[in-house]
Amino acid sequence: MKTLIEGLPKVELHCHIEGTFEPELMFQLAQRNRVSLPYQDVDSLRKAYAFSQLQDFLDIYYQGMNVLQSEQDFYDLTRAYLQKIHSQNVRHTEIFFDPQGHTSRGVPFGVVVEGIARALDDAENQYGITSKLIMCFLRHLDQSDAFSTLTQAESFRHRIVGVGLDSSERNNPPQKFEQVFAEARNQGYLCVAHAGEEGPPEYIYGALDSLHVNRIDHGNSCLQDPALVQRLVQERIPLTVCPLSNTRLCVVDRMQDHPLKRMLDAGLLVTVNSDDPAYFGGYMNENFHAVTDALELNVQQLGTLASNAIEAAFVDSDRKQTLHKELHDYIAAQRNE
Ligand code: HPA
Ligand code: ZN
């Protein structure tokens, strides 16, 4: 199973680029930019990665991204992630970024997008990895701030496929962003939102009915509401589930308790993703290994997870067909071994 997972052609749909910032690179860029970090070294930084809820992580995550300043910094960050996922046979990735985490510090929107986009272009040329960029609004900030971010994105419209909603979920329901999502949809953006990670099923309803999202990020709490599960199944709404994130942020106590298999059994369109791999202990392969070991997933279930991610991706039908064929051929070759 281990080698099967490593070779499996994968699609990632939920990864925050700022959450791929490995401590080694963070110290390197801090030195380059003459910024001081409140940690002695890489090891003491890693020791701080002990979270008991989402907010503990977010505090450290925002602190880490302060190091990012130049276009080259965003390029280097994205480049490192792409090299890593290339080694894990990820064939397509949809990356979140948090513009407000940078523009609030005086880093121009264009510096962020251009650095990330240049690395994405290079990876497509060198590795054939295709990608899409999704900008997230920080939900702990006001809707007016999200509107101003949407305006700043106008010159980069062609580079950004969708908008999302992340940061502190509790007490920041999707409804708070109803108008800005309506305007984003009006401008042709696809929409996603984090919902049901720490928040209740009502937040998933809010994402569907107020924001009209195309996918739900996380969505774990849907299992508390059978009618909601039925709706998600019927409408084939994808859920981008993040197993290692869930255990690290104590959304799930132990991997053996993770709801992924129950979600698969319920017929939900679930996918496996890394969320913030530098902070949560693993990229795509490590997430697949963790759930496969703990939940005893079989080849068919792994194939379904990989295929769901292709179905849920924001790519055209040609690219989907290519990805499906590559996956199908891979699984067939494994069966014949
Ligand atoms: N949840 C909410 N906001 C985030 C996350 C997450 O898992 N990662 C980065 N921002
Ligand atoms: Zn996330």
Side-chain angles (χ1 to χ4, degrees), residues 14-16 96 166 194 197 217-218 242 245 275-276:
H14 183 160
C15 179
H16 304 261
F96 295 130
D166 66 0
H194 284 53
E197 178 184 19
D217 295 313
H218 295 292
C242 306
S245 165
D275 207 2
D276 300 282

Side-chain angles (χ1 to χ4, degrees), residues 51-63:
F51 315 117
S52 52
Q53 55 176 332
L54 174 60
Q55 194 59 50
D56 298 343
F57 155 71
L58 290 171
D59 293 342
I60 285 200
Y61 168 80
Y62 295 125
Q63 185 182 69

